[in-house]
Amino acid sequence: MRFQQLEKKKNQEWSPLIGKGLTLKKPLVLVFGNRYALETPEIYNEVKKLFPDGEIVFGSTAGEIIGSQVLEDSITLTAIEFEKSTYAIFRENSLDHDKDAIQLGKTLIQKVSKDGLKHILVISEGSFINGSALIEGLETGIDNVAITGGLCGDDSRFEKTISSYNENPKEGEVILIAFYGESLEISFAQYGGWTPFGPERIVTKSDQNILYELDNLPALDLYKKYLGDKAAELPQSALLYPLSVKSKNKKEPIVRTILTIDEQTNTMTLAGDVPEGSVVQLMMANIDHIVDGALKAAEIGMKNRKNKPELAVLVSCIGRKLVMDQRVEEEIEEVIEVIGTQAVVNGFYSYGELAPFTGNINCELHNQTMTLTLFSE
């Protein structure tokens, strides 16, 4: 692989970081940035001018990861030339499917050639998609191929997210990048580091990702009771107090973030499904545990690799970023310490992370989790 990396800070021009002067052949160009910056009408043409034969994927973020830096109000660009392997990119828009994420996933995966398929990376809109349903739709069309990636972000505004493939970023886009190649080695991992507290409660009424009742009581009322004074800051404060969800059909508990609340119906909408009969428990943050979680994710990702990674795509959660605040770069530094400085690092802070559990191939939607996908040819 060969790389170029650039960054564009607010009111500044593009600044090269890696590979200045290189000419890359048909690179995959990953552009992650602040939503306002990506709404600039000329942004696609700017990047196309830099990489005329590039295949360009945009995604808005809740923070940009490039090298060991975590940036805000910026745009980061990583262009990757694959020398021994190939990739193909496909897109669908959620609004064209009446926001039916399962159907979108099924339509999208049908476009993908399965012959020699090694891995799928997804960059999805993050404002209204049900990530669990998207994964369910995608996995109907593949067997023994892992999916990783993330849901785009919009800082802590939660107004809208934008993404695109070879056009100006817009709402509703879900982009799938399929990778092929005999020599391509791809590993992945995820880990959280949040601490459960308080009593466990049963989900007695839910509809996909809408939570109505816990222990036959209004879920939002119970949640507010636990939050105390912080209930007035909902939904933002929910990022600091996610839910651990244990489902009957899942071996591992999944962390779920509350995206929105509805005072009229007394409900909470979560980033992914919360099946009836699941056991939920509130979680809280310890910064050292969260940083240690990033370290463990990197160790898991490196465990059975034959070659050192050349590229690392990190997708971490906005909740982790808000909790760690000025210490946020520590989790990136921990990952680099484990995977090695030879790897080119990029990624973003998200509204949801996609990755299988350790030892599994089936993808899950995670929240408040560090995920990484490591590539080498």
Side-chain angles (χ1 to χ4, degrees):
M1 295 180 197
R2 300 198 309 153
F3 301 94
Q4 277 189 289
Q5 279 191 318
L6 299 92
E7 66 182 13
K8 184 180 175 71
K9 293 183 176 174
K10 194 173 183 179
N11 301 321
Q12 294 182 23
E13 296 301 313
W14 289 99
S15 173
L17 300 175
I18 289 175
K20 184 179 179 180
L22 278 180
T23 301
L24 303 183
K25 184 179 178 183
K26 201 189 173 189
L28 169 60
V29 184
L30 300 176
V31 185
F32 301 130
N34 177 276
R35 193 252 297 175
Y36 290 151
L38 292 187
E39 285 179 327
T40 308
E42 61 273 13
I43 188 63
Y44 171 67
N45 288 332
E46 271 188 39
V47 178
K48 194 67 178 172
K49 191 174 179 181
L50 291 168
F51 300 95
D53 66 341
E55 299 288 339
I56 304 164
V57 174
F58 289 93
S60 65
T61 81
E64 302 81 56
I65 299 168
I66 192 157
S68 60
Q69 300 180 90
V70 176
L71 305 176
E72 294 178 346
D73 298 327
S74 74
I75 306 175
T76 61
L77 183 157
T78 301
I80 309 132
E81 178 189 315
F82 292 90
E83 297 172 284
K84 302 173 187 174
S85 45
T86 59
Y87 65 91
I89 306 178
F90 308 92
R91 57 154 294 279
E92 283 288 325
N93 194 289
S94 183
L95 302 175
D96 296 333
H97 294 269
D98 296 320
K99 298 186 179 179
D100 184 334
I102 293 179
Q103 190 55 51
L104 184 151
K106 287 180 177 178
T107 303
L108 197 50
I109 201 66
Q110 285 168 8
K111 299 179 177 183
V112 179
S113 170
K114 314 306 184 295
D115 188 21
L117 179 63
K118 272 285 184 76
H119 191 82
I120 288 172
L121 182 70
V122 173
I123 308 296
S124 170
E125 91 86 32
S127 340
F128 46 75
I129 195 113
N130 180 335
S132 302
L134 174 64
I135 292 166
E136 184 181 335
L138 290 170
E139 290 194 332
T140 59
I142 54 171
D143 188 31
N144 210 34
V145 175
I147 299 170
T148 58
L151 310 184
C152 292
D154 182 30
D155 289 337
S156 55
R157 291 183 291 263
F158 289 92
E159 294 170 357
K160 67 175 180 177
T161 65
I162 55 176
S163 49
S164 68
Y165 165 49
N166 279 352
E167 63 176 327
N168 277 328
K170 59 185 182 182
E171 285 190 90
E173 290 287 289
V174 180
I175 298 101
L176 182 157
I177 309 168
F179 295 93
Y180 305 84
E182 280 298 315
S183 63
L184 197 58
E185 183 182 5
I186 302 173
S187 60
F188 44 85
Q190 60 76 34
Y191 206 90
W194 293 70
T195 306
F197 75 97
E200 293 184 333
R201 296 190 179 272
I202 306 293
V203 177
T204 47
K205 185 180 178 183
S206 66
D207 180 10
Q208 294 186 330
N209 62 332
I210 301 173
L211 180 56
Y212 289 88
E213 293 180 0
L214 294 171
D215 289 347
N216 297 306
L217 297 170
L220 183 55
D221 285 350
L222 271 176
Y223 190 70
K224 284 181 175 180
K225 183 181 175 183
Y226 281 114
L227 261 57
D229 294 343
K230 290 190 178 292
E233 301 167 26
L234 283 168
Q236 280 82 2
S237 58
L239 291 166
L240 308 180
Y241 298 93
L243 296 176
S244 167
V245 180
K246 299 175 188 173
S247 301
K248 293 175 184 175
N249 59 341
K250 306 282 185 187
K251 290 182 181 178
E252 304 269 358
I254 292 175
V255 184
R256 284 281 174 264
T257 296
I258 293 94
L259 293 181
T260 59
I261 61 170
D262 188 326
E263 298 279 4
Q264 288 187 324
T265 58
N266 231 342
T267 61
M268 305 187 292
T269 300
L270 281 73
D273 288 349
V274 273
E276 289 183 1
S278 300
V279 177
V280 304
Q281 191 175 14
L282 214 60
M283 304 186 84
M284 62 189 295
N286 174 300
I287 293 179
D288 290 334
H289 290 175
I290 289 178
V291 172
D292 192 46
L295 172 72
K296 287 178 180 174
E299 288 174 345
I300 294 165
M302 290 294 290
K303 195 169 183 181
N304 296 311
R305 287 194 66 89
K306 297 172 185 173
N307 301 294
K308 289 184 177 180
E310 298 171 67
L311 170 68
V313 179
L314 275 52
V315 181
S316 190
C317 185
I318 179 179
R320 299 169 69 86
K321 182 169 174 281
L322 291 175
V323 167
M324 287 188 285
D325 196 19
Q326 293 180 340
R327 292 180 60 185
V328 67
E329 289 181 348
E330 288 184 29
E331 73 166 353
I332 312 302
E333 290 164 359
E334 290 288 353
V335 169
I336 293 171
E337 182 81 20
V338 174
I339 68 174
T341 55
Q342 81 290 333
V344 171
V345 174
N346 77 325
F348 62 99
Y349 281 84
S350 76
Y351 284 177
E353 304 80 58
L354 310 180
F357 279 115
T358 306
N360 206 332
I361 199 74
N362 296 322
C363 186
E364 300 283 357
L365 172 73
H366 306 273
N367 297 128
Q368 315 292 24
T369 301
M370 165 61 82
T371 65
L372 59 150
T373 310
L374 307 176
F375 298 77
S376 63
E377 284 191 292

